[in-house]
Amino acid sequence: MHSLATAAPVPTALAQVDREKIYQWINELSSPETRENALLELSKKRESVPDLAPMLWHSFGTIAALLQEIVNIYPSINPPTLTAHQSNRVCNALALLQCVASHPETRSAFLAAHIPLFLYPFLHTVSKTRPFEYLRLTSLGVIGALVKTDEQEVINFLLTTEIIPLCLRIMESGSELSKTVATFILQKILLDDTGLAYICQTYERFSHVAMILGKMVLQLSKEPSARLLKHVVRCYLRLSDNPRYEGGTEVEGTLCSPSSASCGLLAVEANRRNSAEGIQTDFMLISSSAQSRWGT
């Protein structure tokens, strides 16, 4: 276990004072009386203190305190009674966990401890109120920080969990921002060969993904979002990269007809026109073509 006292020296007296405050706030996480303010202050500093993640991970009782904050919210999920104050507090704890998840020195241990699983009950929620939406979005941010690293161990871990159906549900019914993060997570899973093979392994998995993407295209035709559209297109293009096997027999061609390149051109053209009509015309063609490859 690392000692906070052995941290690397800092160049200025002002920085040393700030660092002493970081140590103080980390220690205050262990006490329920001082934890809320410490969560708030540390969450503000997570971008400006490069080694905050190792400090959090290796300090005694800190991760347990953060998990306690998460577990304490579970009773407010069902029935959905989560308040704005509760949501803000637990999201500060989640922000610190995102810091740990994104740091190369702590990421593997974070996964080995299966900490992402503690967040999944939040992703199961369906309430449209702002506290719940903020909770889902921040929880997705932790998973997004993991997949952003493009590391194989992250994908391998996520494929053993229910993250794909959870993301698909949010992609179908969440807010635009939550849909965007959930689609980004799916995109990152698809970009990994293991993830692509997993999703395309059975008709049920593939058809579920294709169905949700198709629904998103319909929705985007009514409420265009260039940011969300970009990730949807990339999911379609990645699905077109790998020929499928059915009963040991290779299915010739790709999921998007006639080629991945043509799908890419349609994507560029729809983005260029940036119109509901263009999105609906071009991407419904991709959606129906992709599903037809499975004989649906």
Side-chain angles (χ1 to χ4, degrees):
M1 181 176 295
H2 294 184
S3 170
L4 295 181
T6 61
V10 287
T12 68
L14 178 59
Q16 183 62 47
V17 171
D18 289 343
R19 205 164 185 84
E20 290 300 328
K21 291 295 292 184
I22 296 295
Y23 301 153
Q24 177 186 330
W25 289 325
I26 290 177
N27 287 331
E28 289 177 352
L29 289 174
S30 299
S31 172
E33 291 75 22
T34 57
R35 185 179 300 161
E36 183 172 4
N37 181 67
L39 286 170
L40 177 61
E41 296 298 336
L42 286 170
S43 66
K44 293 177 181 177
K45 297 290 186 181
R46 67 185 188 278
E47 300 292 341
S48 58
V49 182
D51 56 345
L52 179 59
M55 293 164 66
L56 292 170
W57 186 261
H58 295 293
S59 56
F60 180 78
T62 297
I63 299 301
L66 297 179
L67 293 179
Q68 187 177 45
E69 288 293 307
I70 291 173
V71 173
N72 285 345
I73 294 299
Y74 288 171
S76 299
I77 292 177
N78 190 19
T81 59
L82 186 71
T83 66
H85 177 262
Q86 288 176 307
S87 179
N88 288 335
R89 175 166 173 164
V90 72
C91 285
N92 286 334
L94 291 171
L96 296 182
L97 287 180
Q98 179 174 335
C99 175
V100 175
S102 61
H103 198 283
E105 292 183 25
T106 53
R107 188 181 306 117
S108 293
F110 183 85
L111 291 173
H114 289 197
I115 290 179
L117 300 184
F118 285 88
L119 281 55
Y120 286 12
F122 300 155
L123 300 180
H124 273 286
T125 61
V126 295
S127 173
K128 301 289 188 179
T129 63
R130 181 170 294 183
F132 276 97
E133 181 58 34
Y134 184 34
L135 180 63
R136 281 190 297 271
L137 182 60
T138 310
S139 300
L140 285 169
V142 178
I143 309 300
L146 285 171
V147 298
K148 195 174 182 180
T149 64
D150 296 320
E151 292 191 355
Q152 185 68 53
E153 70 169 331
V154 171
I155 303 301
N156 290 343
F157 171 81
L158 292 178
L159 291 179
T160 66
T161 73
E162 57 180 330
I163 191 60
I164 292 176
L166 286 174
C167 283
L168 290 174
R169 184 163 69 176
I170 294 172
M171 288 162 59
E172 182 177 11
S173 60
S175 67
E176 179 186 331
L177 196 51
S178 288
K179 284 181 178 181
T180 302
V181 180
T183 309
F184 170 76
I185 293 170
L186 178 66
Q187 172 194 322
K188 283 294 190 177
I189 292 174
L190 281 168
L191 286 173
D192 181 88
D193 289 342
T194 304
L196 178 63
Y198 177 87
I199 288 176
C200 294
Q201 185 176 14
T202 67
Y203 167 75
E204 288 75 16
R205 291 176 188 167
F206 172 83
S207 62
H208 192 192
V209 172
M211 177 187 69
I212 298 301
L213 289 174
K215 288 182 177 181
M216 294 180 73
V217 168
L218 284 173
Q219 188 62 34
L220 283 166
S221 71
K222 302 171 185 176
E223 301 175 9
S225 166
R227 178 172 53 183
L228 179 55
L229 174 62
K230 176 182 68 175
H231 295 302
V232 172
V233 170
R234 287 175 178 173
C235 286
Y236 268 125
L237 291 178
R238 180 55 175 162
L239 284 173
S240 75
D241 280 345
N242 201 26
R244 286 299 304 120
Y245 291 82
E246 184 72 27
T249 303
E250 183 172 357
V251 177
E252 297 293 338
T254 57
L255 297 175
C256 290
S257 180
S259 68
S260 297
S262 65
C263 293
L265 291 174
L266 289 175
V268 171
E269 179 64 16
N271 272 298
R272 184 185 67 79
R273 292 207 301 260
N274 194 27
S275 66
E277 181 181 359
I279 295 171
Q280 185 176 31
T281 301
D282 292 342
F283 286 98
M284 282 310 297
L285 174 62
I286 295 177
S287 178
S288 61
S289 177
Q291 295 183 55
S292 70
R293 290 298 303 164
W294 286 87
T296 57

